[in-house]
Amino acid sequence: MTSTLPSARLVRRLVPAALALLGILASATPGSAATTAPSIDWPVQSLGDRGSDVLAIQHLVRGRLGSLNPLAPPATSRFDAATETAVRGFQASRSLAVTGIVDGTTWTALVPSIAAGASGEAVTALQGELVAKRGVSLTINGRFGAATRSAVLAFQRHMGLAVTGIVGSKTWRALIWHYRLPHFTSTTLCDYSAGNGPANWGTSEAIATLQSVGTTTFAAGSGRIAVGDISYEHGGPITGHVTHRRGLDLDIRPLRKANDQCSVAGTTWRSTAYDRTATRAMILAFRAASPGHIRVIWFNDPVLIREGLTRYHSGHDDHVHVRFCEAWHAIATYDC
């Protein structure tokens, strides 16, 4: 690997202690300012990732390289081989470590400072992230007009940043880092409460994968995926969970033969209503949709465990726990 990797490993050893201290100092109120988060840092993105952060990368690289450059990646929201090649080309053009992985150094080089009156791929990336992360109603047209400026001002207030309307590195980092909500629809996902209120926020990768698998599962005739806790909007401690603090852990119910997992609670792998075939297909869909970015799936069905699809963990008879990971993550348990 390159010289970037040893520094990432060093950070990985040092950051957990610092994060623990931050957690003590920070407020644990769900949905409050960004100080509730374990950290605000660029989410490392690499081959196999998907979602709005990948889409932002593709637009930003296109803006930096030029949309007519043969290396300019298509805006697909999937970090595929073409995107990796484009990232490598951009890194080489800036004398960065040529890894094909978008870490903090590459993110910083990618994002320009933009404000009202700007136009182009970077504005498209900004608008897409504001829509995905904050649910604002914006026309994604690549033009930084009054509506985009209003959305930027609101986001800066939301995150406790200087309210300037100028999107510099700090605003970019907070926006790219920010978690997002899934879309609960009649043909993809439903929400079930685990007693933690609005705890459905996850990383761009986790949510994009969840929505993709929800579409696949429903199309296969197995009903919607019932989603429990993921994380709070800005991460941090969550009642009843040791994990679920970083937007990379999500709980879902196993599927039922009657496809009624959205309305029936308490189904375990021992239940006669449990649909092992459909649950197996759902788990396989998660792995296929996020190759290289599923760290572990806990669910105590012994058949699926023997097949190598899940692992045993106490308390996971009645729900499937999917843990995502990212390259060079500062926390070892989330490092791919």
Side-chain angles (χ1 to χ4, degrees), residues 99-329:
T99 63
I101 298 172
V102 182
D103 62 355
T105 301
T106 300
W107 273 116
T108 301
L110 275 173
V111 297
S113 180
I114 54 177
S119 61
E121 296 277 4
V123 179
T124 300
L126 169 68
Q127 292 169 330
E129 287 287 61
L130 286 167
V131 170
K133 304 294 180 68
R134 294 296 297 151
V136 298
S137 179
L138 273 181
T139 300
I140 300 175
N141 57 13
R143 296 193 295 273
F144 200 133
T148 299
R149 185 175 187 275
S150 178
V152 167
L153 292 170
F155 178 73
Q156 289 172 330
R157 283 191 292 269
H158 173 70
M159 295 301 290
L161 301 170
V163 184
T164 63
I166 299 170
V167 183
S169 182
K170 288 184 179 180
T171 298
W172 275 115
R173 185 168 67 172
L175 181 59
I176 299 294
W177 163 87
H178 200 282
Y179 300 158
R180 61 172 295 187
L181 285 170
H183 298 298
F184 296 109
T185 74
S186 61
T187 58
T188 54
L189 311 170
C190 62
D191 182 25
Y192 74 88
S193 174
N196 288 306
N200 296 130
W201 297 81
T203 64
S204 175
E205 162 70 12
I207 299 303
T209 299
L210 174 62
Q211 292 187 167
S212 173
V213 177
T215 298
T216 300
T217 299
F218 188 86
S222 300
R224 293 183 291 168
I225 292 178
V227 183
D229 284 344
I230 306 176
S231 289
Y232 289 132
E233 182 177 0
H234 296 142
I238 178 170
T239 302
H241 298 284
V242 175
T243 60
H244 291 270
R245 299 184 177 202
R246 295 176 178 87
L248 290 165
D249 295 279
L250 67 89
D251 289 343
I252 54 181
R253 285 174 177 164
L255 301 180
R256 290 170 53 87
K257 294 173 182 175
N259 301 340
D260 55 353
Q261 51 273 357
C262 287
S263 58
V264 178
T267 302
T268 74
W269 61 268
R270 296 182 178 88
S271 171
T272 57
Y274 165 57
D275 191 335
R276 176 177 290 127
T277 299
T279 302
R280 177 191 291 113
M282 178 182 69
I283 289 169
L284 287 169
F286 269 104
R287 295 191 180 279
S290 191
H293 292 276
I294 301 292
R295 181 62 185 266
V296 64
I297 299 178
W298 285 299
F299 181 52
N300 294 345
D301 181 339
V303 174
L304 301 185
I305 292 173
R306 285 197 299 270
E307 292 173 357
L309 295 179
T310 66
R311 288 167 52 184
Y312 177 85
H313 198 298
S314 177
H316 288 71
D317 283 358
D318 64 348
H319 69 280
V320 179
H321 181 146
V322 182
R323 170 168 290 175
F324 291 84
C325 62
E326 297 297 354
W328 304 355
H329 199 284

